[in-house]
Amino acid sequence: MTLTILPILTLAITLLSVLIGLGFIRSLHIVKSLTPTEPVDSEKPLIDVIVPARNEQADVGTAVRSILAQQRVDVRITVINDHSTDQTGSIVDTIAANDSRVHVIHDPPLLDGWFGKANAMQHAFQTTNRPYVVFADADVVHSPCCFITAIDHMRQEQCDFLSLFPKVQLVSFWENAIVPHLMVFGLVTFLNRALDDPKSGHAVAAGAFMLTRRNVLDEIGGLACVRNEALDDVMLARNIKANGFVTKIALAPQLLSVRLFKSNRDAFWGFSKNILGAVSHIAFAFPAIVVPLFVYWLPISVLLVGIVRQDGWWIICGISAYVSQAAILVLASRLAEMHPLKSLAFPFSAIPIGCCFARAIYHHFISDGVVWRGRVIRRSGD
Protein backbone atom coordinates (compact mmCIF):
# COMPACT_ATOMS: atom_id res chain seq x y z
CA MET A 1 0.00 0.00 0.00
CA THR A 2 2.78 2.39 0.95
CA LEU A 3 4.86 1.62 -2.12
CA THR A 4 1.97 1.75 -4.57
CA ILE A 5 1.37 5.43 -3.81
CA LEU A 6 4.87 6.44 -4.91
CA PRO A 7 4.15 6.28 -8.68
CA ILE A 8 1.00 8.33 -8.09
CA LEU A 9 2.99 10.97 -6.22
CA THR A 10 5.48 10.93 -9.09
CA LEU A 11 2.68 11.60 -11.57
CA ALA A 12 1.59 14.50 -9.34
CA ILE A 13 5.12 15.90 -9.66
CA THR A 14 4.80 15.52 -13.43
CA LEU A 15 1.57 17.51 -13.39
CA LEU A 16 3.15 20.17 -11.19
CA SER A 17 6.07 20.53 -13.61
CA VAL A 18 3.68 20.86 -16.56
CA LEU A 19 1.71 23.53 -14.73
CA ILE A 20 4.91 25.45 -13.91
CA GLY A 21 5.92 25.25 -17.56
CA LEU A 22 2.55 26.52 -18.74
CA GLY A 23 2.71 29.25 -16.14
CA PHE A 24 6.09 30.35 -17.46
CA ILE A 25 4.79 30.46 -21.03
CA ARG A 26 1.89 32.57 -19.78
CA SER A 27 4.33 34.85 -17.95
CA LEU A 28 6.20 35.50 -21.18
CA HIS A 29 2.97 36.92 -22.63
CA ILE A 30 2.21 39.04 -19.56
CA VAL A 31 5.42 41.04 -19.70
CA LYS A 32 7.05 42.49 -22.79
CA SER A 33 10.41 41.45 -24.21
CA LEU A 34 12.43 44.48 -25.27
CA THR A 35 14.71 44.67 -28.29
CA PRO A 36 17.32 47.41 -28.81
CA THR A 37 16.13 50.82 -29.97
CA GLU A 38 18.19 52.12 -32.89
CA PRO A 39 20.08 55.35 -32.05
CA VAL A 40 18.71 58.54 -33.63
CA ASP A 41 19.53 62.20 -33.11
CA SER A 42 17.47 63.59 -30.25
CA GLU A 43 17.81 65.31 -26.90
CA LYS A 44 19.81 63.10 -24.55
CA PRO A 45 18.05 62.21 -21.27
CA LEU A 46 20.09 63.07 -18.18
CA ILE A 47 20.60 59.96 -16.04
CA ASP A 48 22.28 59.37 -12.70
CA VAL A 49 23.48 55.76 -12.58
CA ILE A 50 24.04 54.31 -9.11
CA VAL A 51 26.21 51.19 -8.92
CA PRO A 52 26.63 49.55 -5.50
CA ALA A 53 29.71 47.31 -5.49
CA ARG A 54 31.07 44.95 -2.87
CA ASN A 55 33.92 42.61 -3.83
CA GLU A 56 33.18 42.86 -7.56
CA GLN A 57 36.74 43.04 -8.91
CA ALA A 58 36.03 40.43 -11.60
CA ASP A 59 33.16 42.37 -13.18
CA VAL A 60 32.90 45.98 -12.05
CA GLY A 61 35.31 47.34 -14.68
CA THR A 62 33.42 45.77 -17.57
CA ALA A 63 30.08 46.77 -16.07
CA VAL A 64 30.99 50.44 -15.60
CA ARG A 65 32.54 50.70 -19.06
CA SER A 66 29.37 49.27 -20.59
CA ILE A 67 27.44 52.09 -18.90
CA LEU A 68 29.90 54.70 -20.16
CA ALA A 69 29.36 53.34 -23.70
CA GLN A 70 25.60 54.02 -23.66
CA GLN A 71 24.25 55.80 -26.74
CA ARG A 72 21.75 58.69 -26.93
CA VAL A 73 21.86 59.35 -23.18
CA ASP A 74 23.94 61.56 -20.90
CA VAL A 75 25.07 59.44 -17.96
CA ARG A 76 26.80 60.29 -14.73
CA ILE A 77 27.86 57.26 -12.70
CA THR A 78 28.24 57.01 -8.94
CA VAL A 79 29.95 53.81 -7.83
CA ILE A 80 29.72 52.95 -4.14
CA ASN A 81 32.63 50.78 -3.05
CA ASP A 82 30.84 49.10 -0.15
CA HIS A 83 33.71 48.09 2.14
CA SER A 84 35.22 45.75 -0.45
CA THR A 85 38.12 43.57 0.63
CA ASP A 86 39.39 42.98 -2.92
CA GLN A 87 40.55 45.34 -5.71
CA THR A 88 37.08 46.79 -6.47
CA GLY A 89 38.01 50.20 -5.07
CA SER A 90 41.23 50.61 -7.04
CA ILE A 91 39.57 49.43 -10.27
CA VAL A 92 36.80 52.03 -10.11
CA ASP A 93 39.25 54.72 -8.96
CA THR A 94 41.29 54.10 -12.12
CA ILE A 95 38.18 54.40 -14.30
CA ALA A 96 37.13 57.60 -12.52
CA ALA A 97 40.58 59.10 -12.98
CA ASN A 98 40.18 58.70 -16.74
CA ASP A 99 36.54 59.70 -17.12
CA SER A 100 34.95 62.65 -15.31
CA ARG A 101 31.51 61.05 -15.63
CA VAL A 102 32.44 58.53 -12.92
CA HIS A 103 32.40 59.41 -9.21
CA VAL A 104 33.38 56.94 -6.48
CA ILE A 105 32.18 56.80 -2.87
CA HIS A 106 34.31 54.58 -0.66
CA ASP A 107 33.10 52.69 2.42
CA PRO A 108 29.90 54.56 3.33
CA PRO A 109 29.06 54.25 7.05
CA LEU A 110 26.38 51.63 7.62
CA LEU A 111 23.30 53.36 9.01
CA ASP A 112 21.63 51.68 11.96
CA GLY A 113 19.00 49.21 10.82
CA TRP A 114 20.07 49.27 7.16
CA PHE A 115 21.26 46.39 5.01
CA GLY A 116 24.44 47.02 3.07
CA LYS A 117 23.13 47.36 -0.48
CA ALA A 118 20.21 49.66 0.37
CA ASN A 119 22.53 51.69 2.58
CA ALA A 120 25.02 52.12 -0.27
CA MET A 121 22.31 53.10 -2.76
CA GLN A 122 20.86 55.66 -0.33
CA HIS A 123 24.26 57.30 0.21
CA ALA A 124 24.72 57.63 -3.54
CA PHE A 125 21.17 58.84 -4.18
CA GLN A 126 21.66 61.70 -1.75
CA THR A 127 24.63 62.95 -3.81
CA THR A 128 22.80 63.00 -7.18
CA ASN A 129 20.31 65.36 -8.79
CA ARG A 130 19.43 64.30 -12.36
CA PRO A 131 15.80 63.69 -13.42
CA TYR A 132 16.29 59.99 -14.18
CA VAL A 133 17.92 57.48 -11.82
CA VAL A 134 19.14 54.00 -12.72
CA PHE A 135 20.21 51.44 -10.13
CA ALA A 136 22.50 48.92 -11.82
CA ASP A 137 24.31 45.97 -10.29
CA ALA A 138 28.09 45.98 -10.51
CA ASP A 139 28.28 42.71 -12.45
CA VAL A 140 25.81 43.55 -15.24
CA VAL A 141 26.97 44.21 -18.81
CA HIS A 142 24.70 46.51 -20.83
CA SER A 143 24.37 46.73 -24.60
CA PRO A 144 25.00 50.25 -26.00
CA CYS A 145 21.26 50.81 -26.54
CA CYS A 146 20.10 49.48 -23.18
CA PHE A 147 19.43 52.76 -21.40
CA ILE A 148 17.75 54.59 -24.27
CA THR A 149 15.57 51.55 -24.99
CA ALA A 150 14.50 51.56 -21.35
CA ILE A 151 13.78 55.30 -21.41
CA ASP A 152 11.74 54.96 -24.62
CA HIS A 153 9.78 52.04 -23.15
CA MET A 154 9.10 53.97 -19.95
CA ARG A 155 7.71 56.87 -21.96
CA GLN A 156 5.60 54.61 -24.17
CA GLU A 157 4.15 52.74 -21.20
CA GLN A 158 3.73 55.98 -19.23
CA CYS A 159 5.21 54.34 -16.16
CA ASP A 160 7.25 55.74 -13.30
CA PHE A 161 9.46 52.75 -12.60
CA LEU A 162 10.87 50.18 -15.02
CA SER A 163 13.01 47.16 -14.27
CA LEU A 164 14.72 44.97 -16.86
CA PHE A 165 15.36 41.23 -16.42
CA PRO A 166 18.73 40.27 -17.93
CA LYS A 167 20.16 37.30 -19.76
CA VAL A 168 21.68 35.03 -17.12
CA GLN A 169 25.07 33.47 -17.85
CA LEU A 170 25.65 30.02 -16.32
CA VAL A 171 29.13 28.50 -16.26
CA SER A 172 29.93 26.27 -13.26
CA PHE A 173 28.21 23.00 -12.35
CA TRP A 174 26.14 24.40 -9.49
CA GLU A 175 25.08 27.46 -11.50
CA ASN A 176 23.64 25.22 -14.20
CA ALA A 177 22.09 22.75 -11.76
CA ILE A 178 20.41 25.33 -9.51
CA VAL A 179 19.59 28.53 -11.37
CA PRO A 180 17.34 27.51 -14.33
CA HIS A 181 14.59 25.87 -12.27
CA LEU A 182 14.65 28.50 -9.54
CA MET A 183 14.58 31.26 -12.15
CA VAL A 184 11.53 29.77 -13.92
CA PHE A 185 9.74 29.12 -10.63
CA GLY A 186 10.48 32.66 -9.46
CA LEU A 187 9.17 34.25 -12.64
CA VAL A 188 6.00 32.14 -12.55
CA THR A 189 5.49 33.22 -8.94
CA PHE A 190 6.05 36.93 -9.50
CA LEU A 191 4.86 37.60 -13.06
CA ASN A 192 1.07 37.70 -13.17
CA ARG A 193 -1.67 40.01 -14.34
CA ALA A 194 -1.85 41.72 -10.95
CA LEU A 195 1.29 43.59 -11.99
CA ASP A 196 -0.83 45.91 -14.15
CA ASP A 197 -3.68 46.25 -11.65
CA PRO A 198 -3.34 49.59 -9.85
CA LYS A 199 -5.52 48.23 -7.03
CA SER A 200 -3.12 45.37 -6.40
CA GLY A 201 -0.04 45.80 -4.26
CA HIS A 202 1.77 43.24 -6.39
CA ALA A 203 4.88 44.50 -8.18
CA VAL A 204 8.25 43.04 -9.04
CA ALA A 205 11.71 44.17 -10.06
CA ALA A 206 15.15 42.78 -10.84
CA GLY A 207 18.01 44.54 -9.08
CA ALA A 208 20.18 44.20 -12.19
CA PHE A 209 18.49 47.28 -13.71
CA MET A 210 15.92 49.62 -12.16
CA LEU A 211 15.00 52.91 -13.84
CA THR A 212 12.85 55.54 -12.19
CA ARG A 213 12.36 59.28 -11.91
CA ARG A 214 13.96 61.32 -9.15
CA ASN A 215 10.67 62.85 -8.05
CA VAL A 216 9.30 59.33 -7.45
CA LEU A 217 12.13 58.46 -5.09
CA ASP A 218 11.88 61.85 -3.40
CA GLU A 219 8.19 61.28 -2.70
CA ILE A 220 8.73 57.85 -1.09
CA GLY A 221 11.72 59.01 0.96
CA GLY A 222 14.50 57.46 -1.09
CA LEU A 223 15.54 53.93 -0.17
CA ALA A 224 14.36 54.12 3.45
CA CYS A 225 11.36 51.90 2.66
CA VAL A 226 13.70 48.99 1.80
CA ARG A 227 16.45 49.68 4.33
CA ASN A 228 16.31 46.18 5.86
CA GLU A 229 14.71 44.18 3.06
CA ALA A 230 16.59 41.19 1.65
CA LEU A 231 14.43 41.47 -1.51
CA ASP A 232 15.17 45.18 -1.81
CA ASP A 233 14.42 45.30 -5.55
CA VAL A 234 10.96 43.73 -5.27
CA MET A 235 10.04 45.73 -2.20
CA LEU A 236 11.17 48.99 -3.82
CA ALA A 237 8.82 48.34 -6.73
CA ARG A 238 5.97 47.50 -4.35
CA ASN A 239 6.51 50.63 -2.27
CA ILE A 240 6.60 52.80 -5.38
CA LYS A 241 3.36 51.23 -6.61
CA ALA A 242 1.75 51.60 -3.18
CA ASN A 243 2.34 55.36 -3.44
CA GLY A 244 0.22 55.58 -6.59
CA PHE A 245 2.92 55.27 -9.23
CA VAL A 246 2.96 52.89 -12.21
CA THR A 247 5.61 50.16 -12.19
CA LYS A 248 6.63 47.83 -15.02
CA ILE A 249 9.08 45.01 -15.62
CA ALA A 250 10.30 43.77 -19.00
CA LEU A 251 12.40 40.87 -20.17
CA ALA A 252 15.55 42.17 -21.84
CA PRO A 253 17.96 39.35 -22.73
CA GLN A 254 19.23 41.35 -25.72
CA LEU A 255 19.93 44.45 -23.64
CA LEU A 256 21.86 43.26 -20.60
CA SER A 257 23.45 40.13 -19.20
CA VAL A 258 24.84 38.96 -15.88
CA ARG A 259 26.64 36.02 -14.37
CA LEU A 260 24.95 35.86 -10.98
CA PHE A 261 27.52 33.60 -9.34
CA LYS A 262 31.22 33.49 -10.12
CA SER A 263 32.10 30.02 -8.85
CA ASN A 264 30.66 26.74 -7.62
CA ARG A 265 30.90 27.96 -4.03
CA ASP A 266 29.11 31.21 -4.83
CA ALA A 267 26.34 29.32 -6.61
CA PHE A 268 25.98 26.75 -3.82
CA TRP A 269 25.42 29.38 -1.12
CA GLY A 270 24.28 32.25 -3.33
CA PHE A 271 20.56 32.06 -2.62
CA SER A 272 20.97 32.29 1.17
CA LYS A 273 20.35 36.05 1.15
CA ASN A 274 17.00 35.99 -0.66
CA ILE A 275 15.68 32.47 -0.27
CA LEU A 276 13.36 33.25 2.66
CA GLY A 277 11.49 35.54 0.28
CA ALA A 278 10.17 32.38 -1.39
CA VAL A 279 8.04 31.56 1.68
CA SER A 280 5.27 33.68 3.13
CA HIS A 281 6.23 32.89 6.75
CA ILE A 282 9.40 31.68 8.42
CA ALA A 283 7.57 28.54 9.61
CA PHE A 284 7.27 27.37 6.00
CA ALA A 285 11.04 27.54 5.58
CA PHE A 286 11.55 24.41 7.69
CA PRO A 287 9.62 22.01 5.40
CA ALA A 288 11.12 23.84 2.43
CA ILE A 289 14.49 22.34 3.39
CA VAL A 290 13.31 18.84 2.42
CA VAL A 291 10.67 19.55 -0.25
CA PRO A 292 13.27 19.80 -3.09
CA LEU A 293 14.63 16.37 -2.08
CA PHE A 294 11.15 14.93 -2.47
CA VAL A 295 10.32 16.71 -5.73
CA TYR A 296 13.59 15.99 -7.51
CA TRP A 297 14.60 12.59 -6.14
CA LEU A 298 11.29 10.76 -5.91
CA PRO A 299 11.04 10.45 -9.73
CA ILE A 300 14.58 9.08 -9.94
CA SER A 301 13.94 6.66 -7.09
CA VAL A 302 10.73 5.43 -8.72
CA LEU A 303 12.55 4.98 -12.01
CA LEU A 304 15.37 2.97 -10.43
CA VAL A 305 12.96 0.79 -8.44
CA GLY A 306 10.96 0.21 -11.61
CA ILE A 307 14.09 -0.91 -13.46
CA VAL A 308 15.06 -3.29 -10.64
CA ARG A 309 11.53 -4.69 -10.44
CA GLN A 310 11.09 -4.61 -14.21
CA ASP A 311 7.83 -2.76 -13.62
CA GLY A 312 6.87 -0.71 -16.68
CA TRP A 313 4.36 1.43 -14.77
CA TRP A 314 7.00 2.61 -12.29
CA ILE A 315 9.47 3.22 -15.11
CA ILE A 316 6.97 5.32 -17.08
CA CYS A 317 6.05 7.37 -14.02
CA GLY A 318 9.70 8.05 -13.15
CA ILE A 319 10.68 8.96 -16.70
CA SER A 320 7.65 11.21 -17.23
CA ALA A 321 8.41 13.21 -14.10
CA TYR A 322 12.10 13.67 -14.88
CA VAL A 323 11.39 14.57 -18.53
CA SER A 324 8.73 17.11 -17.53
CA GLN A 325 11.18 18.68 -15.09
CA ALA A 326 13.93 18.68 -17.70
CA ALA A 327 11.59 20.36 -20.20
CA ILE A 328 11.60 23.42 -17.94
CA LEU A 329 15.24 23.85 -18.95
CA VAL A 330 14.12 24.46 -22.54
CA LEU A 331 11.90 27.28 -21.31
CA ALA A 332 14.69 28.69 -19.13
CA SER A 333 16.97 28.88 -22.17
CA ARG A 334 14.90 31.89 -23.30
CA LEU A 335 16.56 33.89 -20.53
CA ALA A 336 19.68 31.92 -19.64
CA GLU A 337 22.76 30.62 -21.40
CA MET A 338 23.37 27.22 -19.85
CA HIS A 339 25.46 24.11 -20.33
CA PRO A 340 22.92 21.36 -21.23
CA LEU A 341 24.70 18.43 -19.58
CA LYS A 342 25.36 20.33 -16.36
CA SER A 343 21.78 21.58 -16.27
CA LEU A 344 20.40 18.06 -16.56
CA ALA A 345 21.92 17.39 -13.15
CA PHE A 346 19.23 19.60 -11.59
CA PRO A 347 18.12 16.95 -9.04
CA PHE A 348 21.37 17.65 -7.17
CA SER A 349 20.17 21.23 -6.62
CA ALA A 350 18.09 19.91 -3.73
CA ILE A 351 21.30 19.84 -1.67
CA PRO A 352 22.28 23.54 -1.92
CA ILE A 353 18.66 24.68 -1.76
CA GLY A 354 18.20 22.85 1.53
CA CYS A 355 21.53 24.18 2.82
CA CYS A 356 20.61 27.76 1.86
CA PHE A 357 17.26 27.50 3.67
CA ALA A 358 19.02 26.11 6.76
CA ARG A 359 21.64 28.87 6.69
CA ALA A 360 19.02 31.58 6.17
CA ILE A 361 16.91 30.22 9.05
CA TYR A 362 19.96 30.18 11.31
CA HIS A 363 20.85 33.81 10.59
CA HIS A 364 17.20 34.86 10.81
CA PHE A 365 16.95 33.66 14.40
CA ILE A 366 20.55 33.94 15.64
CA SER A 367 21.75 37.09 13.84
CA ASP A 368 18.40 38.75 13.07
CA GLY A 369 19.59 39.35 9.52
CA VAL A 370 21.21 37.79 6.48
CA VAL A 371 24.70 36.83 5.38
CA TRP A 372 25.96 38.17 2.06
CA ARG A 373 29.45 38.38 0.54
CA GLY A 374 31.17 37.47 3.79
CA ARG A 375 29.23 39.96 5.92
CA VAL A 376 26.38 39.31 8.33
CA ILE A 377 23.99 42.23 8.15
CA ARG A 378 21.49 42.56 10.97
CA ARG A 379 18.10 44.18 10.71
CA SER A 380 18.90 46.24 13.78
CA GLY A 381 22.24 47.35 12.39
CA ASP A 382 25.82 46.01 12.51
Side-chain angles (χ1 to χ4, degrees), residues 54-92:
R54 175 172 170 81
N55 295 340
E56 296 282 5
Q57 65 179 14
D59 302 293
V60 68
T62 302
V64 172
R65 291 186 184 95
S66 75
I67 298 172
L68 291 172
Q70 291 301 300
Q71 300 174 357
R72 283 183 56 198
V73 293
D74 186 331
V75 297
R76 185 173 60 190
I77 305 171
T78 303
V79 182
I80 314 93
N81 173 31
D82 186 15
H83 302 268
S84 296
T85 57
D86 62 6
Q87 297 302 308
T88 296
S90 60
I91 291 171
V92 293

Side-chain angles (χ1 to χ4, degrees), residues 268-304:
F268 190 99
W269 293 109
F271 286 96
S272 298
K273 173 175 174 279
N274 297 328
I275 201 163
L276 291 183
V279 295
S280 57
H281 190 276
I282 187 64
F284 295 113
F286 291 93
I289 294 175
V290 297
V291 166
L293 286 171
F294 174 80
V295 171
Y296 287 137
W297 282 99
L298 179 60
I300 294 175
S301 300
V302 167
L303 173 60
L304 294 176

Side-chain angles (χ1 to χ4, degrees), residues 48 76 125 127-131 214:
D48 271 314
R76 185 173 60 190
F125 174 66
T127 69
T128 61
N129 57 18
R130 292 190 165 192
R214 175 165 303 279

Side-chain angles (χ1 to χ4, degrees), residues 31 34 39 49 53 81 116-117 125 147 223 291 293 314 369-370 379:
V31 297
L34 299 189
V49 186
N81 173 31
K117 184 177 180 181
F125 174 66
F147 282 41
L223 283 300
V291 166
L293 286 171
W314 282 59
V370 298
R379 295 182 186 278

Side-chain angles (χ1 to χ4, degrees), residues 328-344:
I328 292 177
L329 300 175
V330 178
L331 301 175
S333 66
R334 293 281 300 271
L335 295 171
E337 291 185 3
M338 64 187 75
H339 189 288
L341 292 180
K342 294 177 183 177
S343 297
L344 288 173

Side-chain angles (χ1 to χ4, degrees), residues 157-171:
E157 294 292 319
Q158 298 182 332
C159 62
D160 306 291
F161 174 94
L162 173 66
S163 182
L164 302 183
F165 192 90
K167 187 82 162 183
V168 180
Q169 309 287 341
L170 306 175
V171 180

Side-chain angles (χ1 to χ4, degrees), residues 115 230 272-273 363 368-372 375-379:
F115 283 2
S272 298
K273 173 175 174 279
H363 284 289
D368 187 33
V370 298
V371 61
W372 182 240
R375 177 173 63 179
V376 177
I377 304 176
R378 298 172 177 83
R379 295 182 186 278

Side-chain angles (χ1 to χ4, degrees), residues 31-49:
V31 297
K32 293 185 177 180
S33 294
L34 299 189
T35 55
T37 297
E38 289 298 325
V40 296
D41 292 331
S42 64
E43 181 180 354
K44 294 182 177 181
L46 302 178
I47 306 174
D48 271 314
V49 186

